[in-house]
Amino acid sequence: MARITAGVGCSHVPAIGVAMDTGITDQPYWKPVFDGFVKSREWMKENQPDVIFLVYNDHCTAFDASCIPTFALGCAAEFAPADEGWGPRPVPVVKGHQKLASHIAQSVILDEFDLTIMNEMEVDHGLTVPLSVMFGETGVDDAWPCPVIPLAVNVVQYPAPTGNRCYNLGKAIRRAIDSYPEDLNVMIFGTGGMSHQLQAERAGLINAEWDRRFLDMMANDPEAARRIEHVEYLRETGSEGIEMVMWLVMRGALDEKVTEVHRHYHVPASNTAVGHIILENHS
Ligand code: DHB
Ligand code: FE
């Protein structure tokens, strides 16, 4: 049977992708950011997923204001990196896993979570930057080491789903993957965050103390994390801190008790704090 072996929480700051694409990761500003992912890349090589289920948000790239799905599951054969204004990132096209994605769509929708099925979708920095930081430099003519199933969550236009809804969706995704007959090592990524606000009076807000508490909760107290309300994310972590509800999908798909393998927290990267955690399942 397929099984979820681990969860990865990871910021998706677009400037991290630019730093990799332009070869400046050794510069003093960026080195501490990337040093924190050395162990993660080794761990990825040792644990080689067959498929990654990647929870991220689209930043008005694949979707615009005409259509805003709350949860959109990527069921296509492949997903091209989007042009976000400066041309697409020079990274490989992302290959999907259509059989597993269709199985997840059927299982989760019949489990009463109404997903939007995407048979065509471009993917932005929200998806490609976490792949880059976890796998290292991957040229446009290379291939990503494994297929990826994207799940795009609306955190761009009010109302985003609650953290609790995301956590329960993670549990439904776990049930779906657990019931897939092929032996597959599946990892789940929750991306976005940490605290950041990109606009208006509080632009530049970072709340390191709150972020570190959130990482603690991801490791040891998911029941507390699922109860964090929108207003707390907004007040304590800025308007874009709401991206952290996507980590709850990842956490809901794991065992209640997990092993923390690695953690990294650094301020700043662009306008945000970089947060990262690797959690292994026991079952
Ligand atoms: C930044 C961070 C994000 O998560 C994002 O989607 C866009 C920009 C930033 O810090 O610049
Ligand atoms: Fe973002």
Side-chain angles (χ1 to χ4, degrees):
M1 301 298 270
R3 68 211 187 285
I4 297 181
T5 55
V8 171
C10 187
S11 301
H12 63 213
V13 191
I16 291 180
V18 175
M20 289 182 68
D21 300 343
T22 55
I24 58 167
T25 57
D26 275 340
Q27 288 188 357
Y29 181 86
W30 286 111
K31 196 168 180 316
V33 173
F34 288 97
D35 281 351
F37 289 99
V38 171
K39 173 158 185 190
S40 318
R41 291 176 187 179
E42 285 164 8
W43 177 88
M44 285 301 281
K45 284 209 182 83
E46 282 160 19
N47 292 281
Q48 288 284 357
D50 296 312
V51 186
I52 293 172
F53 188 94
L54 199 151
V55 185
Y56 77 109
N57 69 290
D58 179 79
H59 300 75
C60 303
T61 308
F63 307 114
D64 60 29
S66 66
C67 175
I68 302 177
T70 301
F71 298 114
L73 183 70
C75 294
E78 56 182 44
F79 307 92
D83 182 347
E84 298 180 62
W86 293 269
R89 284 194 63 212
V91 292
V93 167
V94 177
K95 302 289 182 191
H97 191 302
Q98 286 188 291
K99 275 181 76 174
L100 179 57
S102 311
H103 170 83
I104 293 170
Q106 172 172 316
S107 172
V108 169
I109 291 169
L110 297 184
D111 217 354
E112 303 182 344
F113 279 88
D114 307 322
L115 305 179
T116 300
I117 293 170
M118 300 302 297
N119 292 322
E120 221 182 285
M121 183 165 71
E122 292 190 340
V123 289
D124 71 10
H125 67 269
L127 182 134
T128 62
V129 167
L131 289 182
S132 292
V133 292
M134 294 302 288
F135 285 126
E137 268 78 10
T138 313
V140 69
D141 295 323
D142 302 332
W144 294 112
C146 70
V148 176
I149 300 176
L151 178 78
V153 178
N154 169 40
V155 290
V156 170
Q157 178 170 325
Y158 185 83
T162 62
N164 190 51
R165 181 70 172 161
C166 289
Y167 189 82
N168 286 329
L169 175 59
K171 291 199 173 301
I173 291 165
R174 169 85 183 258
R175 288 192 287 275
I177 291 172
D178 280 350
S179 65
Y180 188 70
E182 193 184 337
D183 257 338
L184 290 176
N185 170 6
V186 183
M187 288 183 187
I188 182 161
F189 285 21
T191 76
M194 309 289 288
S195 52
H196 63 305
Q197 171 146 341
L198 301 177
Q199 76 247 271
E201 289 83 358
R202 297 204 305 162
L205 178 146
I206 304 266
N207 186 345
E209 198 186 319
W210 195 99
D211 287 342
R212 289 183 194 280
R213 245 190 348 259
F214 185 77
L215 291 170
D216 288 341
M217 280 187 246
M218 284 293 108
N220 303 316
D221 197 358
E223 285 299 321
R226 75 192 291 185
R227 287 194 296 270
I228 300 168
E229 294 185 355
H230 278 166
V231 69
E232 179 171 347
Y233 286 109
L234 295 174
R235 188 182 61 234
E236 300 296 330
T237 75
S239 50
E240 276 67 50
I242 194 71
E243 289 184 341
M244 280 183 273
V245 296
M246 297 184 291
W247 291 43
L248 270 297
V249 181
M250 174 273 285
R251 192 60 185 85
L254 302 181
D255 298 340
E256 177 114 18
K257 293 223 177 310
V258 290
T259 301
E260 180 177 337
V261 175
H262 179 54
R263 186 191 292 211
H264 173 41
Y265 185 79
H266 175 79
V267 178
S270 188
N271 302 295
T272 173
V274 172
H276 171 45
I277 200 162
I278 299 178
L279 304 169
E280 281 181 356
N281 252 350
H282 295 295
S283 55

